[in-house]
């Protein structure tokens, strides 16, 4: 039996690799899980009430693009957060989490060829793994650009050869970055927009960590695009309620862009998408309209930033994250460190190399571990103390 060749040589995904590395060994203490970015703060209790009040909606097929109430709430939030007015009918579409949209974006809006050549899709390295699969599924070359300490943990797309840029159809960029916590500045977005205009490609802005930050809200891609007068169809933004509102299981997000880009995205969704059930759409609309719970959750993360800074501040190479909820900690070897930590302390972290690909013989994640600070403060503190004592003894 034949299978698609484009997926035949994919590396094992991060989570099976992690289990294969750690589960054959006994943990050295009560397990503390700091691997997956699954928020553990409480979500608003009234979410369950909204779902129950709208439970009759489970008896109906939901609208493909999202209910008018949900699209309106999203458009209102974009205006509130970024000062950008978007049309709820033509510029917004609800998603089953951001991953669905990030994956389908290439197939919906990227051409099969560019300048007579196979298209290229740019992405940071390390990266959210769906970027690579989206590019491969769209018959494009995934071009992984180092996002390392030397580049401020954000990719320098302008450093690519012109022959690559000339066939580029889109660039994925995550800000705040997963896993490093770096934030794209207004100047970074301005330069990237200029590059995209020059070489005529789209920007897929994965901004799902945008509401977890210390003091200043991260500037957004659509916000800067409006400021510099860029084509609204040039930028496609992706957000979700998973991190913002501690609702990863709701699987609720959105994509927004100019009306022409959204027309193509909606067209693919008409054939291949699965819209969110109506009761969950009702809950999502209520959650997007509420900022109080977001501020409360953000304050908890700020406390954990301070814990990490206090415990790890003297570790050589430690960088406090600007935003998001991951620590990106330097080690000599990622798998060795993760295994040592598990066997001696019971703390589970993710080897950084599992989030990156080897390019020209180098994997930019190989000398890091990713630590998720999603558990309550007390458990997070115990985990970070164990990491310090095990991996960075004085």
């Amino acid at each position: 039996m034949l299978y698609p060749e484009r997926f035949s040589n994919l590396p094992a995904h991060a989570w099976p690799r992690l289990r294969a590395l750690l589960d054959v060994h006994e943990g050295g203490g009560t397990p503390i899980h700091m691997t997956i970015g699954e928020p553990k703060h409480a979500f608003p209790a009234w979410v369950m009430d909204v779902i129950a009040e709208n439970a009759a909606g489970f008896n109906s097929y939901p609208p493909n693009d999202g209910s008018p109430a949900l699209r309106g709430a999203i458009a209102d939030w974009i205006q509130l957060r970024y000062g950008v007015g978007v049309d709820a009918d033509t510029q917004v579409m609800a998603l089953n989490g951001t991953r669905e949209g990030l994956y389908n974006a290439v197939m919906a809006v990227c051409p099969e060829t560019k300048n007579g050549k196979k298209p290229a899709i740019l992405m940071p390295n390390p990266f959210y793994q769906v970027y690579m699969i989206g590019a491969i599924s769209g018959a494009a070359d995934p071009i992984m650009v180092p996002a390392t300490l030397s580049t401020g943990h954000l990719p320098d797309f302008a450093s690519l050869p012109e022959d690559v840029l000339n066939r580029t159809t889109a660039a994925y960029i995550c800000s705040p970055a997963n896993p490093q916590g770096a934030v794209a500045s207004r100047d970074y977005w301005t330069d990237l927009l200029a590059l995209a205009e020059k070489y005529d490609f789209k920007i897929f802005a994965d901004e799902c960590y945008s509401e977890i930050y210390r003091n200043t809200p991260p500037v957004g891609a659509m916000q800067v695009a409006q400021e510099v007068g860029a084509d609204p169809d040039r930028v496609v933004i992706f957000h979700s309620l998973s991190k913002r509102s501690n609702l990863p299981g709701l699987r609720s997000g959105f994509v927004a862009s100019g009306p022409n880009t959204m027309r193509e995205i909606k067209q693919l969704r008409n054939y291949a998408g699965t819209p969110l059930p109506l009761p969950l759409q009702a809950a999502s609309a209520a959650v997007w309209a509420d900022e109080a719970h977001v501020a409360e959750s953000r304050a908890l993360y700020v406390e954990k930033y301070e814990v990490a800074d206090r415990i790890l501040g003297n570790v050589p190479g430690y960088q406090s994250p600007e935003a998001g909820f991951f620590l990106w900690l330097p080690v000599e070897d990622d798998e060795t460190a993760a295994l040592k930590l598990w066997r001696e302390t019971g703390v589970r972290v993710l080897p950084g190399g599992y989030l990156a690909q080897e390019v020209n013989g180098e994997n930019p994640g190989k000398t890091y571990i990713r630590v998720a600070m999603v558990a309550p403060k007390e458990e997070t503190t115990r985990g970070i103390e164990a990491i310090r004592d095990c991996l960075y003894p004085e």
Side-chain angles (χ1 to χ4, degrees):
M1 185 177 295
L2 298 176
Y3 294 97
E5 289 186 9
R6 63 185 180 276
F7 300 126
S8 62
N9 62 350
L10 291 177
H13 197 273
W15 306 120
R17 291 177 71 183
L18 183 67
R19 290 191 292 270
L21 175 70
L22 301 185
D23 288 358
V24 294
H25 301 278
E26 186 93 14
T30 302
I32 298 179
H33 296 275
M34 307 184 82
T35 54
I36 192 167
E38 184 178 65
K40 296 301 182 183
H41 297 172
F43 59 79
W46 44 260
V47 167
M48 301 302 294
D49 297 331
V50 177
I51 293 173
E53 290 165 5
N54 291 271
F58 284 122
N59 196 225
S60 303
Y61 284 122
N64 200 57
D65 298 347
S67 68
L70 176 53
R71 286 185 284 105
I74 291 168
D76 289 346
W77 182 82
I78 293 173
Q79 175 68 60
L80 175 69
R81 176 64 171 82
Y82 296 116
V84 178
V86 295
D87 186 282
D89 292 329
T90 63
Q91 291 185 259
V92 172
M93 187 180 81
L95 295 172
N96 272 294
T98 53
R99 182 162 59 176
E100 176 207 359
L102 289 164
Y103 176 77
N104 285 326
V106 174
M107 287 174 281
V109 304
C110 292
E112 293 85 351
T113 63
K114 184 177 179 188
N115 292 325
K117 297 182 179 180
K118 184 178 182 179
I121 307 291
L122 314 182
M123 60 198 68
N125 194 20
F127 59 97
Y128 184 31
Q129 303 298 290
V130 73
Y131 306 161
M132 178 178 70
I133 302 305
I136 293 172
S137 298
D141 287 329
I143 307 297
M144 297 157 192
V145 183
T148 61
L149 180 62
S150 65
T151 64
H153 291 298
L154 294 169
D156 180 10
F157 292 132
S159 67
L160 291 170
E162 191 163 21
D163 65 318
V164 173
L165 292 169
N166 278 330
R167 62 187 182 95
T168 295
T169 56
Y172 284 105
I173 178 67
C174 184
S175 175
N178 169 15
Q180 309 96 320
V183 173
S185 66
R186 182 172 271 99
D187 287 344
Y188 183 94
W189 285 120
T190 300
D191 291 345
L192 181 55
L193 281 159
L195 191 73
E197 291 280 355
K198 179 178 178 179
Y199 290 98
D200 191 22
F201 62 81
K202 293 188 184 296
I203 298 170
F204 295 158
D206 180 356
E207 299 179 327
C208 68
Y209 296 91
S210 68
E211 304 314 290
I212 303 173
Y213 55 84
R214 291 175 181 267
N215 300 306
T216 304
V219 67
M222 187 176 279
Q223 176 183 355
V224 179
Q226 176 176 270
E227 292 173 0
V228 302
D231 182 350
D233 286 299
R234 180 76 59 193
V235 173
V236 190
I237 65 169
F238 302 86
H239 286 257
S240 87
L241 295 175
S242 296
K243 277 71 176 178
R244 172 189 181 267
S245 300
N246 307 302
L247 285 163
L250 194 66
R251 307 312 305 141
S252 181
F254 74 80
V255 54
S257 185
N260 296 317
T261 296
M262 290 307 303
R263 180 188 65 240
E264 302 302 312
I265 289 174
K266 289 180 179 183
Q267 175 73 337
L268 178 61
R269 188 78 174 308
N270 285 333
Y271 285 95
T274 305
L276 201 66
L278 278 168
L280 305 189
Q281 291 197 31
S284 300
V287 174
W288 281 116
D290 182 75
E291 289 294 322
H293 75 279
V294 183
E296 292 172 3
S297 182
R298 183 162 52 242
L300 297 177
Y301 282 118
V302 170
E303 291 182 4
K304 288 185 279 191
Y305 291 153
E306 293 169 352
V307 167
D309 291 348
R310 173 175 55 82
I311 296 172
L312 299 173
N314 293 326
V315 169
Y318 170 75
Q319 284 197 310
S320 184
E322 296 180 69
F325 50 53
F326 296 116
L327 299 176
W328 188 236
L329 301 180
V331 294
E332 289 188 13
D333 179 85
D334 59 344
E335 290 183 318
T336 300
L339 183 56
K340 175 181 173 66
L341 195 59
W342 168 243
R343 294 182 69 178
E344 296 185 10
T345 72
V347 174
R348 295 174 73 97
V349 299
L350 188 67
Y354 292 6
L355 297 168
Q357 291 290 300
E358 184 175 300
V359 178
N360 297 325
E362 291 193 12
N363 182 320
K366 186 63 178 171
T367 55
Y368 290 89
I369 54 172
R370 192 187 75 173
V371 180
M373 299 190 293
V374 292
K377 180 180 177 181
E378 181 181 350
E379 183 177 344
T380 297
T381 301
R382 292 200 311 271
I384 295 175
E385 287 176 339
I387 291 170
R388 176 199 60 195
D389 296 343
C390 179
L391 300 182
Y392 309 107
E394 294 182 2

